[in-house]
C-alpha cells in the first residue's frame, strides 16, 4: 500500500528561523513526490516536485526538499521563514503504477511568529 | 497562463436545493478531479475523470454526481443539498502520466443552511 505521513499537524517558527516540514512515504516502487501550499481560502499551489532526477529539489518562494531513499523521506525546508510563509503545506506521492493518482498527506499548518 | 476556474467562489444555499459547482480548465488536461476539504483538514478525493465520458468515484463516498461531456468542463452536482454537504470543494486537473502534479482551482466554499 502507498501512503504519505506528515509528522506534525502544526509547526510554529519565528520569523527568520529555519522551516522544516517532515514528510515520509511508503512505496514499493520508485515514487514521484510533491509539495503543495495552500493559503487561506485558496486552492493548492505546487511548490516543488521530485521526479527521479536530482535528489535536492528547489521550488518557489525559497523552499527546497531533499529526496532520501534510505529514509523514505522528502522533507521541506526553507532557511529563513517569512510571515508570508504561513499556510497549510501538503506532501503528496504519485506512483508509477496503479490508479495514476496523487495521494496526499494530512497537511501541516505552518505558523510564523513575528 | 493556463488556468483552472471554479465558480462560484462562495455559495450559501438552503437545504433541499439543487446546486452545480462549475470547474473548467484551459490546459487541455485529460484528467480532472474533485476533492472535498473541511476547514484545516486533509483532502478527500470524491470524483475523478480520465477523459470525456469517463467518471469514477473517489475514496470518500459522496452524494454528489459529476459529468464529463467536454474535456475542459467537469461540473459537480448535488441534487438536494444538506447541511452535511457544507465544505470546501476543490477541482484539479493534470495531464496523463505519473510525474505531473495537479493544477488546482481556487475552490468553492459551500454552506448549506
Amino acid at each position: 500500500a502507498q501512503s504519505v505521513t506528515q509528522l506534525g499537524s502544526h509547526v510554529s517558527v519565528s520569523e527568520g528561523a529555519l522551516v522544516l516540514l517532515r514528510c515520509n512515504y511508503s512505496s514499493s516502487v520508485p515514487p514521484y513526490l510533491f509539495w503543495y501550499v495552500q493559503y487561506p481560502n485558496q486552492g493548492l499551489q505546487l511548490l516543488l516536485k521530485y521526479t527521479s532526477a536530482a535528489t535536492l529539489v528547489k521550488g518557489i518562494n525559497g523552499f527546497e526538499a531533499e529526496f532520501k531513499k534510505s529514509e523514505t523521506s522528502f522533507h521541506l525546508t526553507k532557511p529563513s521563514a517569512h510571515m508570508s510563509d504561513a499556510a497549510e503545506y501538503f506532501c503528496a506521492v504519485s506512483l508509477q503504477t496503479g490508479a495514476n493518482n496523487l495521494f496526499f498527506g494530512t497537511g501541516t499548518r505552518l505558523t510564523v511568529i513575528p | 497562463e493556463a488556468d483552472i476556474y471554479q465558480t462560484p467562489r462562495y455559495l450559501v444555499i438552503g437545504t433541499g436545493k439543487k446546486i452545480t459547482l462549475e470547474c473548467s480548465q484551459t490546459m487541455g488536461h485529460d484528467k480532472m478531479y474533485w476533492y472535498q476539504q473541511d476547514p484545516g483538514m486533509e483532502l478527500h478525493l470524491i470524483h475523478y475523470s480520465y477523459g470525456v465520458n469517463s467518471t469514477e468515484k473517489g475514496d470518500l463516498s459522496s452524494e454528489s454526481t459529476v459529468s464529463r461531456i467536454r474535456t475542459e468542463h467537469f461540473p459537480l452536482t448535488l441534487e438536494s443539498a444538506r447541511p452535511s454537504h457544507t465544505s470546501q470543494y476543490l477541482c484539479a486537473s493534470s495531464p496523463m502520466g505519473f510525474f505531473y502534479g495537479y493544477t488546482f482551482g481556487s475552490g468553492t466554499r459551500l454552506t448549506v443552511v
Side-chain angles (χ1 to χ4, degrees):
Chain A
Q2 59 284 323
S3 71
V4 173
T5 301
Q6 290 186 242
L7 295 175
S9 58
H10 291 86
V11 171
S12 294
V13 300
S14 297
E15 189 174 16
L18 171 72
V19 176
L20 171 61
L21 304 181
R22 300 178 186 273
C23 174
N24 288 88
Y25 69 92
S26 64
S27 171
S28 57
V29 298
Y32 296 119
L33 294 157
F34 305 80
W35 274 101
Y36 285 85
V37 60
Q38 184 180 31
Y39 299 104
N41 297 316
Q42 295 292 322
L44 277 69
Q45 179 183 3
L46 181 65
L47 269 180
L48 49 80
K49 62 180 179 181
Y50 166 75
T51 57
S52 73
T55 56
L56 182 63
V57 182
K58 294 186 183 300
I60 62 173
N61 302 337
F63 284 93
E64 61 182 37
E66 185 172 10
F67 173 70
K68 292 186 177 180
K69 184 178 179 180
S70 61
E71 299 177 7
T72 61
S73 69
F74 190 56
H75 301 331
L76 182 70
T77 61
K78 183 175 180 177
S80 177
H82 192 273
M83 295 299 295
S84 61
D85 295 327
E88 188 90 18
Y89 291 80
F90 291 90
C91 183
V93 63
S94 173
L95 305 176
Q96 299 182 53
T97 185
N100 195 18
N101 288 333
L102 279 184
F103 298 92
F104 286 89
T106 54
T108 297
R109 180 168 298 280
L110 176 66
T111 300
V112 181
I113 303 166
Chain B
E1 179 182 328
D3 228 332
I4 181 165
Y5 307 95
Q6 288 188 246
T7 57
R9 286 281 283 120
Y10 302 92
L11 178 62
V12 180
I13 199 162
T15 298
K17 298 292 186 182
K18 178 181 179 179
I19 58 171
T20 296
L21 307 184
E22 299 289 347
C23 176
S24 295
Q25 51 98 1
T26 60
M27 297 167 282
H29 288 169
D30 289 313
K31 295 164 61 178
M32 295 189 74
Y33 311 84
W34 278 103
Y35 284 86
Q36 186 173 340
Q37 184 186 33
D38 293 321
M41 301 293 285
E42 61 193 289
L43 298 161
H44 293 286
L45 180 67
I46 51 175
H47 298 283
Y48 62 97
S49 167
Y50 286 165
V52 171
N53 295 325
S54 153
T55 62
E56 301 286 346
K57 290 188 179 294
D59 305 320
L60 180 69
S61 176
S62 173
E63 294 167 346
S64 59
T65 59
V66 293
S67 62
R68 191 87 183 277
I69 299 173
R70 304 196 315 266
T71 299
E72 64 271 22
H73 194 213
F74 191 42
L76 181 144
T77 298
L78 278 166
E79 290 293 333
S80 179
R82 294 207 302 267
S84 60
H85 296 139
T86 294
S87 189
Q88 171 153 263
Y89 293 84
L90 294 170
C91 183
S93 71
S94 74
M96 283 294 187
F98 296 103
F99 48 85
Y100 296 105
Y102 293 179
T103 302
F104 280 85
S106 297
T108 294
R109 184 166 295 282
L110 172 66
T111 302
V112 184
V113 298

